[in-house]
Amino acid sequence: MSETSQTNLKTNSKTRPDKNSRINVIKFALLVSFVCSLLITAAAGGLKGFQQENIELDKRLNLLKAANLVDPDKKPSKQEIKRLYDTHIQAAIVDSQGKIIETDTSDSMHLYFYKTEDVIQGYILPINSRGLWGKIQGYLAFENDGQTVSGFSVFSHSETPGLGGEIESAWFQKNFKGKKILNSQNKFVSVGIAKGKVANLPEKDQENYVDGISGATLTGKYLSEGIKSTLTQYESVSITFRQKNLTAKETN
């Protein structure tokens, strides 16, 4: 090989880009990361509508569970959930005095009536409580006497599975049915979660508590506090129900 050819070969080898150089590897990694982030963002955006729809559907299902309008051990179809909700659940806004109003104000509160035709069978309050690891969100339903619990459900929590996570179990939620928020002297006391079995409490207190969850004392404590805080806020609504029977026609 001539000296000129050897010189050209050396020159080309120096000027030809090295595909395995550190800079090119970094550039390639950045390009792949950018493309992947675009794909993930597009997928998340495309699924957001479906995710929101599922969240709303789950909330409606839990409203129906709290009102005992569906079997807690079975999940009805999407169409059945929508049909039952539209037929029996009516969202409402009330002021601090428990009076139904048309639009939100600085002190307004949201709740739901569950009804049969034009007759309100009871009302449902949203529960947003502190938990051990995060928020506990659910619904607490009452009969139209304004003091008897008709059901309880949880649709969101971060409690420990097998311990505090049992708050979403049917056996725990069924314990709320029939409990009272007034004591034997007709004074407001809320409804709480006992430390252990209700049977171990004084008889006069038993109708105001549900059985606790073994190993989940703090979850029970925080949920009890959250329920009491909510019931205190909505006490004007409960008083209204205790004083008279509302019908759905009165809410229009």
Side-chain angles (χ1 to χ4, degrees), residues 120-216:
I120 291 179
Q121 303 298 331
Y123 58 102
I124 308 169
L125 305 181
I127 301 297
N128 190 349
S129 171
R130 172 189 179 187
L132 181 59
W133 303 114
K135 289 290 186 180
I136 297 173
Q137 295 178 291
Y139 298 105
L140 188 64
F142 290 86
E143 297 178 10
N144 59 12
D145 64 358
Q147 63 169 307
T148 306
V149 178
S150 58
F152 174 68
S153 67
V154 171
F155 66 83
S156 177
H157 72 86
S158 303
E159 302 307 284
T160 307
L163 295 173
E166 287 294 294
I167 58 174
E168 68 177 357
S169 298
W171 73 264
F172 176 74
Q173 296 179 15
K174 286 178 180 178
N175 285 336
F176 281 82
K177 185 175 176 60
K179 296 298 180 177
K180 307 286 186 179
I181 62 172
L182 303 182
N183 63 15
S184 55
Q185 286 78 44
N186 286 326
K187 301 294 184 181
F188 169 75
V189 293
S190 185
V191 58
I193 293 91
K195 295 179 180 179
K197 297 292 184 181
V198 169
N200 297 328
L201 297 175
E203 187 174 352
K204 65 180 181 65
D205 297 329
Q206 291 182 10
E207 67 178 3
N208 305 122
Y209 285 88
V210 301
D211 288 340
I213 300 170
S214 179

Side-chain angles (χ1 to χ4, degrees), residues 130 193 195 216-226:
R130 172 189 179 187
I193 293 91
K195 295 179 180 179
T217 303
L218 286 178
T219 296
K221 175 179 180 293
Y222 295 144
L223 182 55
S224 294
E225 292 173 352

Side-chain angles (χ1 to χ4, degrees), residues 3-15:
E3 290 185 5
T4 302
S5 299
Q6 290 180 351
T7 301
N8 290 337
L9 184 61
K10 290 179 180 180
T11 301
N12 291 337
S13 64
K14 289 180 180 180
T15 58

Side-chain angles (χ1 to χ4, degrees), residues 55-70:
I55 290 172
E56 291 303 315
L57 190 69
D58 193 45
K59 288 182 179 180
R60 290 187 175 193
L61 175 60
N62 276 276
L63 280 163
L64 295 170
K65 284 182 178 179
N68 293 297
L69 293 171
V70 295

